Amino acid sequence: MDTFEDRLDGGWEWWEAAIEEAQEGRWVRDAVERQVIKDIAAATNPLNGGRMAPFTEDSWHVRIGRIANWAGVLRLAARSGG
């Protein structure tokens, strides 16, 4: 059985490969992937007011709320098939 560390390492490997593929032009987001990005942005936008990270000036209450919001979005994505 995989440990959390194994899954986390695998996620980072995927992330690095995806960035490289996108930068080299071998991976172009399709319509479904673009919609997923829009959905994630819509689900997580309310807590950051549309600003980009880092949010170092925000209170810790807001920062924890943002983390909780992202966690929910990632759980939904994982349950939908990855």
Side-chain angles (χ1 to χ4, degrees), residues 10-74:
W12 278 116
E13 288 175 21
W14 178 91
W15 179 257
E16 291 167 359
I19 290 172
E20 183 177 332
E21 294 289 314
Q23 288 174 339
E24 298 294 325
R26 294 185 296 264
W27 176 32
V28 179
R29 289 184 193 107
D30 63 18
V32 172
E33 292 167 328
R34 284 192 298 275
Q35 186 60 50
V36 168
I37 295 298
K38 288 178 184 177
D39 291 344
I40 290 172
T44 58
N45 198 33
L47 284 175
N48 66 27
R51 295 176 293 126
M52 297 296 289
F55 305 106
T56 55
E57 301 297 320
D58 292 346
S59 72
W60 66 271
H61 295 94
V62 172
R63 294 171 83 179
I64 289 173
R66 187 177 300 111
I67 291 168
N69 211 13
W70 269 100
V73 170
L74 297 176

